[in-house]
Amino acid sequence: MGDENSPISAARARAIFAPWKTVPAVVLAVSGGPDSVALMWLAARWRSKLKRGPRLIAVTVDHGLRKEAAREARDVKHLARTLGIEHRTLRWQGTKPKTGLPAAAREARYRLLAKAARLSGASHVATAHTRDDQAETLLMRLLRGSGVAGLSAMSVETGREGVWLTRPLLEVSKAELIATLEAAGIVFADDPSNRDVAFTRARLRALMPALAEEGADARTLARLASRLARANAAVEVLADGAERYLSLTDRRASLGGYDAQAFAALPEEIRLRLLKRAIDRYGHEGPAELGKIEALLAALDRAMAGRQARLKQTLAGAVISLSKGRILVQPAPPRRRRTA
């Protein structure tokens, strides 16, 4: 790890982008802010030293929420050209929601980026999430009451809409990226919405200096997320084994079927994950929320402890039933639309 205020070296950039050497093309999500501009500059410098490597395409998404966004997209386009990188600007069309705007904008951005990648023959979409973003994400999910899986925060690479979403800068601090741009004489945009305390992430960002004084700086919080991700991966392996075990103990197994007695003998965390898997697989309104799955499991446990051992509930577009010693998860019938 380099000094927090030192630019990213060429050697470190080679290590960061080494996994891309054999991929056909990568879409770089570049908004114009310091993190994404640094991602583009570092990736371009790395690629320029290779005889063969991926095609790089910078994509800027204009959400139509700020009048400065169009100018920032033009600035990114100009810089991309000087770096020898293709650039495209995509716009989020349609009516914007009055509530939940940040989440809706984020989903639209990923959807447009994934589409651009597929059209360009790119296997990966790279975003500039940093260690600071990872720490903030952990805090946001902690406040929402997430379980171990949620507190693992962001992973380096995940599949999304037919492409790989990759975050190569998750172990890099924002300060290092800004130092990199300043050393290179590269200008970047400042989005005031990043400091707008109307949004949860901005409020948590404002709290980070005070948390750091107590020892909970971005590095420590990101390390916690990494350790939780490691634990989550181990529990997922155990859940895989439990799923195979249940399929062997119930020869009548069909759509999401479990032998109730064998299921009840498993640890609570494993049972929660198995229920979530089945509900997300067969339901059509998911993903199922952890709190609701916990309530469902408690209801199943009470039913199995009773004399009749029967239960039927609907959750996230799936029907979960307990009858004759079996737990069954099946798709729920479509909801009837109300007529005026």
Side-chain angles (χ1 to χ4, degrees), residues 263-332:
F263 179 83
L266 295 171
E268 183 177 0
E269 179 67 20
I270 301 299
R271 290 187 290 152
L272 287 168
R273 292 183 183 232
L274 294 182
L275 282 175
K276 177 171 174 55
R277 288 182 181 188
I279 292 168
D280 289 347
R281 186 181 301 138
Y282 299 116
H284 47 80
E285 297 175 6
E289 297 176 19
L290 177 58
K292 293 181 179 179
I293 298 173
E294 289 172 334
L296 170 64
L297 181 59
L300 280 169
D301 285 344
R302 288 194 300 269
M304 284 188 282
R307 292 183 178 181
Q308 293 186 344
R310 296 180 65 86
L311 177 137
K312 188 172 185 178
Q313 287 191 10
T314 301
L315 177 58
V319 175
I320 304 92
S321 58
L322 169 65
S323 179
K324 298 180 180 179
R326 296 190 72 241
I327 298 169
L328 195 62
V329 181
Q330 296 176 303

Side-chain angles (χ1 to χ4, degrees), residues 148-175:
V148 175
L151 294 177
S152 301
M154 296 180 285
S155 58
V156 174
E157 193 167 277
T158 53
R160 190 183 182 111
E161 299 191 34
V163 299
W164 288 105
L165 180 63
T166 184
R167 303 175 179 93
L169 304 180
L170 270 187
E171 295 186 3
V172 178
S173 72
K174 188 181 190 75

Side-chain angles (χ1 to χ4, degrees), residues 167-327:
R167 303 175 179 93
L169 304 180
L170 270 187
E171 295 186 3
V172 178
S173 72
K174 188 181 190 75
E176 289 175 295
L177 296 181
I178 291 176
T180 299
L181 295 179
E182 290 177 344
I186 305 293
V187 297
F188 50 85
D190 175 38
D191 182 355
S193 67
N194 289 327
R195 298 184 297 276
D196 188 346
V197 293
F199 302 119
T200 303
R201 187 177 287 273
R203 292 195 297 273
L204 290 174
R205 188 171 294 142
L207 289 174
M208 288 302 294
L211 291 175
E213 288 184 5
E214 300 298 329
D217 59 7
R219 186 189 295 273
T220 300
L221 293 172
R223 186 186 301 123
L224 173 59
S226 177
R227 288 170 174 168
L228 288 167
R230 186 175 64 206
N232 182 63
V235 177
E236 280 292 287
V237 171
L238 295 176
D240 290 340
E243 204 163 33
R244 289 191 295 270
Y245 164 73
L246 289 175
S247 68
L248 293 174
T249 58
D250 186 1
R251 296 297 181 181
R252 302 169 297 161
S254 59
L255 218 53
Y258 302 132
D259 177 85
Q261 187 173 1
F263 179 83
L266 295 171
E268 183 177 0
E269 179 67 20
I270 301 299
R271 290 187 290 152
L272 287 168
R273 292 183 183 232
L274 294 182
L275 282 175
K276 177 171 174 55
R277 288 182 181 188
I279 292 168
D280 289 347
R281 186 181 301 138
Y282 299 116
H284 47 80
E285 297 175 6
E289 297 176 19
L290 177 58
K292 293 181 179 179
I293 298 173
E294 289 172 334
L296 170 64
L297 181 59
L300 280 169
D301 285 344
R302 288 194 300 269
M304 284 188 282
R307 292 183 178 181
Q308 293 186 344
R310 296 180 65 86
L311 177 137
K312 188 172 185 178
Q313 287 191 10
T314 301
L315 177 58
V319 175
I320 304 92
S321 58
L322 169 65
S323 179
K324 298 180 180 179
R326 296 190 72 241
I327 298 169

Side-chain angles (χ1 to χ4, degrees), residues 60-65 89-97 100-109 111-112:
T60 303
V61 176
D62 181 353
H63 293 92
L65 301 174
T89 297
L90 304 178
R91 290 174 176 81
W92 182 24
Q93 306 288 352
T95 305
K96 309 302 188 290
L101 184 59
R106 183 171 59 253
E107 285 302 311
R109 177 171 177 253
R111 184 175 64 252
L112 290 168

